[in-house]
Amino acid sequence: MWLETLQWVVAALGVLASASPIPAPQLGASIFADLSPAELRAVRTFLLSRPELGLAANRRDSLASNSLFLVELQVPRKSQALQFLNGGSPRPPRLARAIVFFGEQAQPNVTEFVVGPLPWPSYYRAVSYKGGRPIPFAARPVTLLEYELMHRRLLELTEPLYRLLRDTTGFWYHNCSQRCLTFSDVAPRGLGPGERRSWLILQRLVEGHFLHPVGLELLLDHRSRDPRRWTLQRLWYNGQYFASAQELAWRYERGELALACPTTPELLFSTYVPRGHFSTGTPTAVHGAKVCEPQGKRYRLQGNLVEYGGWRLALRLRSSAGLQLFDLRFNGEQLAHELSVQEAVAFYGGSTPAAMQTKYIDSAWGMGTLAHELAPGIDCPEVATYLDAHHLYDAAGPVRYPRALCLFELPTGVPLRRHFDSDFRGGYRFYGGLEGQALVLRTTATVYNYDYIWDVLLYPNGVLEAKVHATGYVHATFYTPQGLRYGSRLHRDVLGNLHTHLLHYKVDLDVAGTRNSFETVDVCFENISNPWSAGERVVQPRLHRRPRHSERQATFPFGRALPRYLLFSSPTQHNRWGHPRSYRIQHSSQAGRVLPRGWREERGVNWGRGLQADLVAWVTVGFLHIPHAEDVPNTATPGNAVGFFLRPFNFFDEDPSVASRSPVIVRPQDPAFAHVAIQRWTPASPGPCVSAEPFTYNGTYRQE
């Protein structure tokens, strides 16, 4: 679904830990805290009380009504926030943003409102967009009600196909009670403005139904607000197109149809149930290595304020896109005002109409609301701190999502730094090492078949890493020989379709202040006379610096070599050694173009053309995924992670991790190395590290 005109900035995170209450947020961080359930209800009650809006208090079985779709925090403007955080102005007013679907009007539309002040709202105002045009009603996300109405209409529209589906698959849609079919819908929902028609892939309703297409795809026109007027415009069955369900059924009855007869495997290949054995016989029916905290937690969480080592920041989980961080500081100095996930897209190719049309823009499904319960010991360590989220998104009130976000300190498995100082005579002068650890902030988003794992890692040397792993089920279509041009055969009737993932971040850097400059640094080669050997030449690398003064100069399209150092610097502050205090963006991505530049759908995601950087960096990372047999049952996380680092570059006078009390230094005390002096600042032994708590998991998210 295309939502270019609707700039969603939506959120609702209730910072209540599942295990224990969390103290109230700190004064500064609290301006970025998501709306509490009480605030969400207050906004809803206020808007419902306004007769001119005509909002329905309860869900109706009609799209021709005015409904409140979303309520979330209206983030304070940066200038207001900084003036308050730096002590120069009063606290910004606490506001909400609300999205309303006006379906009862003669000209239905989607309208965004700012509501305030909280906690007792007394006014609202509409938000206008460039050109003053309203957001078309057809551009709205699909609600739970619309999906339910689609299901009901399909029960009627697929009645002529009952015998075909029953005979060839053993499953059916019309009048189904047990061996049922389900569907996955794709987007965009049309080929031009105002359209709302979706290709639906029929699948067996079994565990992992995404890998069980039955060879039938339907084009449902659902633009009308009256579901009785929804129609099937086209059908695709086993490589052939049909104008109606009746035509397809008639061809089957006459025996003129090339049948798709997907088999029901004896073993459900899409399940997580173990099968097979490893050749070595090493045990897997016992617990593996675990993360532990032998002397307790080394980070602090107060409300939405996170502190770890030199790091201090505010967090939230917004409904449309997920994790968002504000006011990022190290040792009290501001590094960035905002680091946030903005969007995720997946563009596909294939021989079936659904695969051809699949170009998912995932915020249309509210990625933040898809952060379901994290499983202790699997999604996050058992010792992690878990946070619940509250969203008012396509619901009659706030919905609690337990364990939607977690924080934990992670042993990286590699030293942050170390050195063995050899004496080159079989001994050493000293050994020094600092164990590697990082604080991980993690949430997930399960967008239909795919699961994104969103991480931000904070290292004690001032480095921040933003990373996303892709896992879950591949988006699959029914196998035909023509499909092999667009992917791999994963099972007898299953084709995994090629696609490109793009993940888009906003990084608003404030390196030692809000006035920053941007330059790139790379190397070039010089050929000079050798100053210490007459007649000889020296070829060597030297630095090549290039200031970037405009947004056009600071845009780096895919397909071109990216400069290796992207530096945001303070023009007025220098470190002790005379260098501008800077931070570097280090890009880690395998992405390429999703479509030719300027093509219709490509214009909707033009941010995906590359890394754009003015003084707010818009960072796009991604990768090409050609599914393969090892993606069954799920795509695995190793090798399927992309992201970027923010690394200090002359920002400090030395590595700030020297403040850590975790290093170990070993010095020999005699020539025979019989005695050594071990210097450390932590207890000699970490002690036992096993939790006796059993695994628990609930998985529900409900309105309270």
Side-chain angles (χ1 to χ4, degrees), residues 10 17 23 103 136 185 240 256 277 358-359 371 410 455 495 530 556 562 578 580 622 686 704:
V10 293
D185 59 322
Q240 294 180 279
E256 299 176 356
H277 301 278
T358 302
K359 299 167 184 68
L410 176 71
D455 285 354
L495 183 86
N530 190 325
F556 307 106
L562 186 68
E704 295 181 330

Side-chain angles (χ1 to χ4, degrees), residues 31 43 52 57 87 104-105 155 191 213 217 226 260 300 315 326 330 353 356 512 523 588 631 636 647:
I31 66 173
V43 173
E52 66 275 14
E104 199 173 2
Q105 301 181 163
L155 291 174
L191 300 175
E217 298 179 0
D226 183 356
R300 185 161 49 238
L315 62 81
F326 283 101
F330 195 92
M356 296 177 194
V523 295
S588 176
D631 284 316
R647 299 179 58 186

Side-chain angles (χ1 to χ4, degrees), residues 528-548:
I528 61 174
S529 299
N530 190 325
W532 48 268
S533 183
E536 298 292 336
R537 308 288 296 179
V538 173
V539 176
Q540 63 179 358
R542 66 172 177 84
L543 295 179
H544 174 66
R545 298 180 179 272
R546 182 181 174 189
R548 308 278 179 159

